[in-house]
Amino acid sequence: YHVYIDELMEKAGARIAALLGGEAAMVSSGAAGAVTCGTIGCVAGGDPEKMKQLPDTTGLKNEVIVPRWSRSHYDQAVRNVGCKMIEVETLDDLNQAFSPKTVMAHGQAGTVKDGNPFTLKQYVDACHRPGVPVLIDPAADLPFRPNPYLHARVHLPPPTPATLLRL
């Protein structure tokens, strides 16, 4: 059957978001494609002129905060948009890293965990205080419900083995 791809993407995204308990979702070409699309969304919003300007970020916010232990080859998916990575190591570094050019914070899901200088919740809370969106890449994780990455934002109860089996 022929379909309008925009309509298919909208419906598929809504269904995936409902299954995972998120506000929205999208189908991408893979983890790097999703990170690039998320970064573009933060930098350009829905402005088609800004989107066409990229990867030239002249006049746009273009700094992305990332924990040192969360650096990976997926950083390139952020840099492809024209953004500069601002590396932090401690919670104090994080709180001092925000500037008028900070467009988002990024990280690999499994690397913002116990044993590191700050937790996922502390990371998200620190970023949200100045209004900075957080893009966490959980592509290598199982699709938990409730989603522990949303838990950091909306304070859902932590997942239990019983809730994970319901997915």
Side-chain angles (χ1 to χ4, degrees), residues 22-37:
E23 295 174 25
M26 65 170 262
V27 177
S28 72
S29 60
V35 170
T36 298
C37 287

Side-chain angles (χ1 to χ4, degrees), residues 2-45:
H2 295 279
V3 297
Y4 292 104
I5 193 72
D6 291 342
E7 291 177 10
L8 176 63
M9 294 294 287
E10 183 179 342
K11 295 292 184 186
R15 178 69 175 136
I16 293 167
L19 288 170
L20 296 177
E23 295 174 25
M26 65 170 262
V27 177
S28 72
S29 60
V35 170
T36 298
C37 287
T39 304
I40 290 169
C42 290
V43 174

